[in-house]
Amino acid sequence: MDKMVVMGNGPLQGTVATSGAKNAALPLLFSTLLAEGEHVFTNVPKLKDIESTAALLESLGCTTRWDGDKFRVNVTRLQSYEASYDLVRKMRASFLCMGPLLAKYGEAVVSQPGGCAIGSRPIDLHLEGFKALGAEISQKEGYVQANAKKLKGSTFLFETVTVGGTENIMMAATLAEGRTILENAAKEPEIVDLAEYLIKMGAKISGHGTSVITIDGVEKLKPAEHSIMPDRIEAGTLLIAGAITHGQVTVEKCVPAHLEALISKMREAGFKIDTTKDTMTVYKTDAWDAVDITTAPHPMFPTDLQAQFMALMTVARGTSVISETVFENRFMHVQELIRLGADIVPKTRVAVVHGRPGQLTGAPVMATDLRASASLVLAGLVAGGETVVNRIYHLDRGYEKLEDKLSALGAKIRRVTEE
């Protein structure tokens, strides 16, 4: 099992490029089930979750392959409409195959995703949305079965904002009969990216990026070609890496407009950050002040950057209060940061961080989830001595060669593979 060895090594310097967005790529790849033929994607990150998605698509009868920097998905007549537990348990986003399968083939059998380390991620809103479109839903032996001869458009109000639910129902509605209106829809940039590809395929969608999305169903969709948006969470992580090491780092191939909440909070803390249309630069800062954050759906502060920002606050001047409103169990990295010398008092959904500039020290730590892994690497960059981050398979689910990117900026970081 791989682990990451990080040595505190002073300021990071240079320019680094962001990879394609995992959270955009996954629904985009599942959307291919809506149209037979060859779909072509560029800027696809090479991650474990992409491998898992490809494996699920192939189990249904699709073929996938890398062609240079292009990722091709060929959808022919499917051999199966069932996503097995063995595949779905590896990645909760696998449930996003249900909407396309149901809309295109009138049938889908998908394993319930099961538990998630960072908290409850119920699929009930997905299922209620499918029911609103006329699907019959049954659950048996850990699987969800959905059937519908022809989905019919409807108005559906999401009780709470759900990114996956919005994506799943939006995909299903593209082939439904009539108009579907999704109210209280999620507004994340990844949903906009998905909608833009569906429109390239021939879907009629408007309002994506707002809380009300309108979809007018069409008879048929066709494959298209699409470049996946940059990963805003990776971009934010790299920006924080430059900041926490007192360095000067420019992050290229990103969309700063997707990270306004993070940039605003970093400026409030005292960092100088310049942006262009597709770059962000953080400048050397000797010391910064603690600031409070509260996570919430886009465009507010993203939950996927909470752990990384907490690492930054562990070496700030003063005390910050970090409130997590999206997931109820997303402070598992707190105890590991404390092992590095951080002074953090965690409550159920609030953590009080007493900054200790220059006081972190290296230690063995355990990654508990994807973003927690990144926070421990960031803390290790400024901890005295050696930090060993175990279980970095979590990291590989969402960051493409993070150690190579940080090394190019001057970090002392290496991957160690053990039998």
Side-chain angles (χ1 to χ4, degrees):
M1 189 177 293
D2 288 4
K3 53 183 159 185
M4 206 76 82
V5 179
V6 189
M7 295 285 293
N9 190 44
L12 298 186
Q13 303 283 345
T15 300
V16 62
T18 307
S19 298
K22 172 185 85 84
N23 289 341
L26 302 182
L28 282 164
L29 293 180
F30 286 122
S31 77
T32 62
L33 295 167
L34 290 164
E36 293 183 1
E38 186 173 70
H39 303 251
V40 182
F41 298 98
T42 55
N43 203 34
V44 178
K46 293 184 177 179
L47 303 168
K48 289 292 184 184
D49 277 9
I50 299 297
E51 293 177 12
S52 297
T53 302
L56 197 159
L57 290 172
E58 289 177 2
S59 77
L60 299 174
C62 306
T63 58
T64 67
R65 66 185 176 95
W66 287 97
D67 177 15
D69 64 348
K70 294 182 178 180
F71 189 77
R72 299 179 182 271
V73 180
N74 200 291
V75 183
T76 55
R77 192 164 191 84
L78 297 189
Q79 302 166 352
S80 170
Y81 307 130
E82 179 176 317
S84 71
Y85 171 71
D86 283 342
L87 292 169
V88 176
R89 69 181 174 83
K90 296 177 182 176
M91 185 185 68
R92 292 187 56 84
S94 300
F95 200 76
L96 292 175
C97 70
M98 177 162 270
L101 286 174
L102 181 61
K104 174 69 174 172
Y105 301 99
E107 178 184 352
V109 180
V110 183
S111 170
Q112 293 186 28
C116 179
I118 60 175
S120 174
R121 294 186 178 188
I123 57 171
D124 56 328
L125 293 179
H126 298 236
L127 302 185
E128 291 301 319
F130 294 139
K131 288 178 185 177
L133 297 180
E136 294 182 359
I137 305 290
S138 61
Q139 300 184 55
K140 184 179 180 181
E141 296 177 349
Y143 281 79
V144 178
Q145 177 155 352
N147 296 89
K149 287 184 179 179
K150 181 69 175 178
L151 295 177
K152 298 187 183 299
S154 176
T155 296
F156 182 69
L157 171 66
F158 289 102
E159 185 177 329
T160 58
V161 176
T162 162
V163 175
T166 300
E167 291 167 341
N168 226 346
I169 308 307
M170 181 171 68
M171 287 190 284
T174 59
L175 293 177
E177 186 179 288
R179 172 169 289 186
T180 298
I181 299 174
L182 303 181
E183 298 178 341
N184 197 29
K187 298 181 281 191
E188 270 69 7
E190 293 81 5
I191 286 171
V192 175
D193 208 32
L194 173 61
E196 288 176 353
Y197 183 61
L198 294 171
I199 290 168
K200 287 180 183 178
M201 293 169 68
K204 295 181 179 178
I205 303 174
S206 61
H208 42 293
T210 76
S211 60
V212 180
I213 301 175
T214 301
I215 307 106
D216 288 306
V218 297
E219 282 293 320
K220 187 177 181 181
L221 297 174
K222 63 184 187 303
E225 187 165 340
H226 188 70
S227 179
I228 289 167
M229 62 172 273
D231 194 316
R232 61 194 173 101
I233 305 303
E234 183 195 20
T237 302
L238 293 169
L239 192 73
I240 293 172
I244 198 171
T245 61
H246 307 268
Q248 180 172 326
V249 169
T250 297
V251 183
E252 292 183 321
K253 296 183 179 178
C254 64
V255 184
H258 292 166
L259 288 167
E260 289 179 353
L262 172 66
I263 293 169
S264 173
K265 283 296 181 180
M266 289 181 68
R267 284 174 173 160
E268 184 182 337
F271 292 99
K272 179 176 185 276
I273 298 173
D274 287 341
T275 64
T276 67
K277 182 180 178 182
D278 59 1
T279 70
M280 304 182 293
T281 300
V282 61
Y283 294 91
K284 174 180 172 59
T285 303
D286 291 328
W288 52 92
D289 297 320
V291 295
D292 301 338
I293 62 164
T294 299
T295 65
H298 190 78
M300 307 306 286
F301 198 96
T303 180
D304 279 353
L305 282 171
Q306 175 256 107
Q308 300 90 309
F309 196 83
M310 185 183 291
L312 184 65
M313 291 297 98
T314 64
V315 286
R317 294 180 301 198
T319 298
S320 59
V321 177
I322 296 180
S323 304
E324 173 61 55
T325 73
V326 180
F327 293 113
E328 72 272 18
N329 196 26
R330 205 160 200 180
F331 283 151
M332 290 189 294
H333 48 279
V334 167
Q335 296 303 325
E336 302 304 304
L337 288 171
I338 290 172
R339 286 179 53 78
L340 298 177
D343 183 354
I344 307 172
V345 180
K347 304 294 183 184
T348 304
R349 287 203 173 196
V350 175
V352 179
V353 184
H354 303 287
R356 303 185 69 205
Q359 298 298 307
L360 299 187
T361 55
V365 291
M366 190 76 70
T368 53
D369 61 73
L370 169 55
R371 306 308 172 184
S373 307
S375 75
L376 298 175
V377 169
L378 293 176
L381 292 173
V382 291
E386 181 180 271
T387 298
V388 180
V389 183
N390 295 283
R391 281 193 190 166
I392 61 160
Y393 59 83
H394 290 293
L395 195 74
D396 295 335
R397 288 187 48 236
Y399 290 94
E400 183 177 14
K401 297 181 178 178
L402 181 63
E403 68 272 25
D404 291 351
K405 293 184 179 186
L406 293 175
S407 292
L409 296 173
K412 274 193 169 182
I413 180 172
R414 72 182 193 279
R415 179 184 295 257
V416 176
T417 301
E418 291 185 344
E419 295 297 332

